[in-house]
Amino acid sequence: MKNYQIESLPDYFKQYKKSIKNPKKFWDKIADDNFVWYQKWEKVVKYDMREAKIEWFINAKLNMTKNCIDRHLLNRSNKNAIIFEPNDPNEAVQYITYQELHERVCKFANVLRDQGIQKGDRVCIYLPMVPELAISMLACARIGAIHSVVFAGFSSSAIAARINDCESKMVITSNGSFRGDKTINLKALVDEALEKTHTVEKVLLVKRTDIEVPVKEGRDQWIAPLLEKASADCVPEIMDAEDPLFILYTSGSTGKPKGMLHTTAGYMVYTAYTFKNVFNYQENDIFWCTADIGWITGHSYILYGPLLNGATTVIFEGVPSYPQPDRFWEVIDKHKVTQFYTAPTAIRALAKEDTKWVDEHDLSSLKVIGSVGEPINDEAWHWYNDHVGRKKCPIVDTWWQTETGGILISPIPFVTPTKPTYATLPLPGIQPVLLNDKRIEIIGNQTTGNLCIRYPWPGIARSIWGDHQRYIETYFSAYPGKYFTGDGALRDEVGYYRITGRVDDVIIVSGHNLGTAPIEDSINEHPAVAESAIVGYPHDIKGNALYGFVMLKDIGESRDKDNLRKEINQIITEQIGPIAKLDKIQFVSGLPKTRSGKIMRRILRKIAEGAFDQFGDTSTLLNPEVVEEIKEGKL
Ligand code: WT7
């Protein structure tokens, strides 16, 4: 990124003002100065916020991997692009230079083409955090295929739903994965998923463990021998600015997961620009984001943002507690990490350990530390600041979403004075507004409201795969003409933003975005269950945990309730994955409902929290007796 480093607070305000006054000019220059294009755009942006039609860099032509890899071969060919830190600290680290990355991506891309994958085809990637995950995504981008990465903790039903939704033609997976002291057979989950799908023609297998897996003739192939034979020369596909780059599924408050569609040029420009500024990236820094690439954080800030800047990015396969609770700190010291980016849930878990685990490591390489995924509470913020940043590294509390493609609100390190629990100020190009429930914009500071964004930015998702109407309804109809984030926010006296949490039925558990509806749907499939409602309640480590109120068909049912609880969590694990398991299950004889039949979750949330005297207005409640009973049942 040439000359786009924000240098000081006045410089931030200057750039910010420019970006709002003339967004076209602002993004035009950034795009022009920092990327390689086959053809430049005719127009910077075209948008209709009511129809949710947004296009950036109209008619420009490019290839993402030319920008992530090829152009760095001139000056950075021997620089490490990826440092792979395996789950087991005794296994050798892999250093992948830009030169080697180029070769491996080209070979992989040629294999994809040989296997019949063409521009526009969807490829489902279900891999652990190994270099092949990054390489296969880049290989898709090289040939214009659309990757749909499914987090390797998801169940076979979740894989099947995602394959079916975007009609993936291929799955790339591995025989197994390592996580701490566990080994998981990923191929078995894919095999199960494929029984419920009809579009997958080929499965490519990466060998990661010694698990023996069945290889289905005509469908499955080990990738290694194919790569060996493949040419290292691969002409990139020429892509239009608005050609899809990837689909990534995120939970909604209702219905099936939403396949958020991100396109090529806008996403590229936005992730590169935000990476540079939010992390104060300098040549030769070693950047480590601990997220899984299966989430948007990994897409944007393990893979695309860093590689677009020619950076060195760490891919970590393991977990923070293995083999000991100092693994993060050990890895920072081992690779001399300069920027460390993690989630509040991990910080809280590690803060529970004896401080000797962190204090005894040399963390002096660190310059900037970041947080993402959920609000960071005051205690966690201070622990992070004291023990990890050692009071000399600014904390960037970065607020954004799968839908936004990149960070929207965050301090700029060494520029924006930080304030615990505040994501602080919008990045240039981002125009946040707060609205009340009457859709009226709240002007001025020291106020709260529903957080919307007024003007499009290059990284915003363009649609929900196969369902543009749902995209309009979910994000652009609550506050016509604006993008609605689903979050509530507070704006303090100087204009700093603090995100207060979801205002819809999405619950963030350990930084994972979970919709209540899909969990309820799966519980309701249990033959004994009539109806259920899930709410979140505060949890020390996870931020929120899940509380299920479950109504049985036969109220006097004399079954073993503990066993029933296990069965319910078993169904959730099978249909969604272990991350959606309920921490508490209370059996009830009815759920509080409004006269129009809507479950009053607000009351259930208060019950789950134990705040029995804060139910607010209950005048529209149809069955107050149920509330009394649930309260008593909890006591
Ligand atoms: C939701 C989006 C963005 C990558 C990870 C999550 C919450 C995210 C913060 C933050 C408070 C945050 C919001 C948002 N969130 N970052 N710094 N402070 N809340 O992506 O799964 O799409 O979830 O995560 O509620 O809407 P996601």
Side-chain angles (χ1 to χ4, degrees):
M1 281 266 148
K2 274 187 249 156
N3 312 324
Y4 288 97
Q5 182 92 57
I6 297 169
E7 302 276 346
S8 63
L9 204 54
D11 184 33
Y12 161 78
F13 284 116
K14 203 171 110 204
Q15 281 212 36
Y16 186 77
K17 274 195 195 124
K18 266 195 191 161
S19 76
I20 304 306
K21 224 173 125 202
N22 196 340
K24 292 184 186 124
K25 201 168 149 199
F26 180 78
W27 292 112
D28 181 81
K29 185 125 178 58
I30 291 176
D32 207 10
D33 285 352
N34 293 286
F35 303 92
V36 290
W37 305 88
Y38 295 114
Q39 181 184 303
K40 296 268 170 85
W41 44 98
E42 285 155 17
K43 204 170 173 278
V44 180
V45 61
K46 248 189 359 206
Y47 66 96
D48 176 340
M49 293 291 266
R50 286 176 194 258
E51 292 299 314
K53 277 212 173 105
I54 299 161
E55 292 166 81
W56 282 89
F57 310 110
I58 321 296
N59 282 334
K61 306 283 179 236
L62 73 159
N63 183 281
M64 184 59 138
T65 63
K66 278 279 251 191
N67 283 281
C68 285
I69 313 171
D70 300 47
R71 65 166 160 153
H72 302 311
L73 297 182
L74 200 59
N75 300 320
R76 301 188 178 102
S77 62
N78 291 323
K79 178 175 175 177
N80 289 325
I82 293 172
I83 297 179
F84 172 61
E85 170 72 26
N87 177 64
D88 178 351
N90 297 317
E91 191 184 319
V93 173
Q94 286 180 43
Y95 299 92
I96 303 175
T97 61
Y98 273 93
Q99 184 68 53
E100 187 188 342
L101 184 64
H102 183 261
E103 188 179 318
R104 291 179 67 176
V105 168
C106 286
K107 286 188 167 183
F108 209 117
N110 281 328
V111 170
L112 295 182
R113 274 188 180 146
D114 284 350
Q115 297 296 317
I117 298 298
Q118 295 176 351
K119 179 176 175 182
D121 286 342
R122 276 78 62 202
V123 174
C124 170
I125 303 177
Y126 187 69
L127 280 174
M129 283 284 284
V130 290
E132 287 81 357
L133 173 52
I135 290 167
S136 59
M137 291 162 78
L138 293 164
C140 286
R142 185 90 177 167
I143 64 166
I146 305 170
H147 57 72
S148 163
V149 179
V150 176
F151 168 59
F154 274 126
S155 69
S156 63
S157 309
I159 307 168
R162 286 157 174 76
I163 289 175
N164 285 333
D165 185 74
C166 69
E167 301 174 297
S168 303
K169 211 166 143 186
M170 173 185 272
V171 179
I172 303 172
T173 188
S174 70
N175 59 340
S177 73
F178 298 118
R179 265 182 82 76
D181 52 12
K182 292 197 202 80
T183 322
I184 302 148
N185 185 339
L186 296 185
K187 173 66 166 43
L189 293 165
V190 168
D191 283 339
E192 230 178 280
L194 292 186
E195 283 170 22
K196 297 173 228 156
T197 59
H198 307 284
T199 55
V200 174
E201 292 164 14
K202 295 276 163 73
V203 176
L204 296 181
L205 284 168
V206 172
K207 181 171 164 23
R208 176 61 187 131
T209 65
D210 290 328
I211 301 176
E212 291 213 13
V213 294
V215 178
K216 192 172 164 185
E217 189 66 46
R219 188 193 71 184
D220 307 351
Q221 278 164 286
W222 291 101
I223 183 103
L226 302 177
L227 287 171
E228 242 166 67
K229 281 183 272 164
S231 149
D233 232 351
C234 176
V235 180
E237 194 74 35
I238 297 179
M239 305 297 286
D240 185 81
E242 286 297 337
D243 276 337
L245 177 66
F246 66 87
I247 300 167
L248 184 61
Y249 287 86
T250 184
S251 313
S253 52
T254 54
K256 56 178 190 175
K258 296 170 286 193
M260 302 315 308
L261 178 68
H262 284 280
T263 59
T264 309
Y267 178 82
M268 172 181 80
V269 170
Y270 198 70
T271 51
Y273 174 78
T274 52
F275 175 77
K276 169 76 183 159
N277 273 299
V278 172
F279 298 104
N280 190 262
Y281 172 71
Q282 308 293 336
E283 191 74 47
N284 301 326
D285 281 349
I286 308 286
F287 181 82
W288 182 20
C289 163
T290 70
D292 193 287
I293 293 183
W295 310 114
I296 191 72
T297 309
H299 279 56
S300 302
Y301 300 109
I302 295 178
L303 193 63
Y304 290 115
L307 296 186
L308 286 164
N309 281 277
T312 301
T313 182
V314 176
I315 295 184
F316 173 52
E317 184 184 27
V319 294
S321 55
Y322 179 82
Q324 297 188 126
D326 62 345
R327 187 68 191 277
F328 275 1
W329 324 129
E330 187 200 84
V331 172
I332 290 174
D333 185 14
K334 179 170 171 187
H335 298 300
K336 302 290 170 228
V337 169
T338 45
Q339 289 93 345
F340 177 69
Y341 189 31
T342 195
T345 184
I347 298 168
R348 287 189 297 263
L350 294 167
K352 285 239 180 307
E353 303 290 340
D354 193 323
T355 50
K356 75 161 204 247
W357 289 114
V358 54
D359 293 346
E360 285 172 5
H361 285 275
D362 178 3
L363 303 184
S364 59
S365 57
L366 287 176
K367 296 193 307 190
V368 176
I369 56 178
S371 167
V372 63
E374 55 185 312
I376 177 165
N377 51 304
D378 201 59
E379 211 184 329
W381 195 98
H382 283 288
W383 188 88
Y384 199 29
N385 189 42
D386 296 352
H387 295 278
V388 182
R390 314 240 160 121
K391 296 193 168 128
K392 63 174 184 54
C393 302
I395 296 180
V396 288
D397 176 359
T398 64
W399 173 82
W400 57 299
Q401 309 177 298
T402 305
E403 296 84 341
T404 69
I407 298 163
L408 300 196
I409 305 184
S410 168
I412 307 281
F414 314 107
V415 169
T416 320
T418 58
K419 175 172 175 181
T421 77
Y422 281 74
T424 75
L425 297 171
L427 298 185
I430 305 304
Q431 306 187 33
V433 279
L434 297 179
L435 290 108
N436 66 18
D437 290 335
K438 298 199 177 77
R439 298 178 172 175
I440 297 179
E441 189 177 330
I442 308 168
I443 312 286
N445 289 342
Q446 274 191 305
T447 181
T448 58
N450 297 327
L451 180 62
C452 293
I453 315 288
R454 203 197 325 257
Y455 190 91
W457 60 98
I460 188 174
R462 302 298 195 259
S463 194
I464 291 175
W465 182 263
D467 198 349
H468 193 71
Q469 193 54 36
R470 187 175 178 201
Y471 184 58
I472 299 176
E473 279 160 20
T474 314
Y475 304 103
F476 297 88
S477 54
Y479 301 94
K482 298 182 181 69
Y483 168 80
F484 176 44
T485 64
D487 282 321
L490 176 159
R491 191 164 52 216
D492 79 357
E493 62 287 354
V494 299
Y496 273 17
Y497 287 89
R498 174 194 199 171
I499 310 304
T500 48
R502 301 291 308 186
V503 294
D504 56 10
D505 291 329
V506 171
I507 306 171
I508 313 254
V509 179
S510 299
H512 300 312
N513 191 331
L514 298 172
T516 52
I519 307 178
E520 289 160 5
D521 290 348
S522 65
I523 299 175
N524 298 352
E525 279 183 25
H526 190 288
V529 173
E531 208 182 0
S532 61
I534 309 293
V535 297
Y537 69 97
H539 185 279
D540 274 6
I541 291 176
K542 301 188 203 180
N544 293 294
L546 299 176
Y547 195 119
F549 295 91
V550 177
M551 186 180 141
L552 298 174
K553 286 184 179 147
D554 177 359
I555 295 175
E557 185 146 13
S558 58
R559 298 171 64 143
D560 174 349
K561 294 284 182 337
D562 280 339
N563 204 31
L564 212 51
R565 286 191 175 91
K566 277 196 200 124
E567 288 173 13
I568 287 173
N569 269 331
Q570 183 60 29
I571 293 194
I572 296 175
T573 307
E574 280 161 17
Q575 300 213 352
I576 299 168
I579 48 174
K581 280 204 289 198
L582 308 182
D583 281 69
K584 289 189 185 155
I585 298 176
Q586 182 178 351
F587 294 104
V588 297
S589 65
L591 295 168
K593 294 206 174 158
T594 62
R595 281 164 215 284
S596 57
K598 226 178 151 221
I599 298 173
M600 270 189 143
R601 287 169 199 279
R602 180 167 53 83
I603 292 186
L604 293 174
R605 262 182 231 127
K606 293 294 173 198
I607 294 178
E609 272 172 40
F612 297 140
D613 51 350
Q614 296 169 21
F615 290 167
D617 179 16
T618 52
S619 59
T620 57
L621 194 59
L622 182 70
N623 47 356
E625 70 289 349
V626 162
V627 175
E628 286 309 308
E629 188 200 296
I630 299 178
K631 254 166 71 178
E632 269 158 37
K634 199 197 161 185
L635 292 173

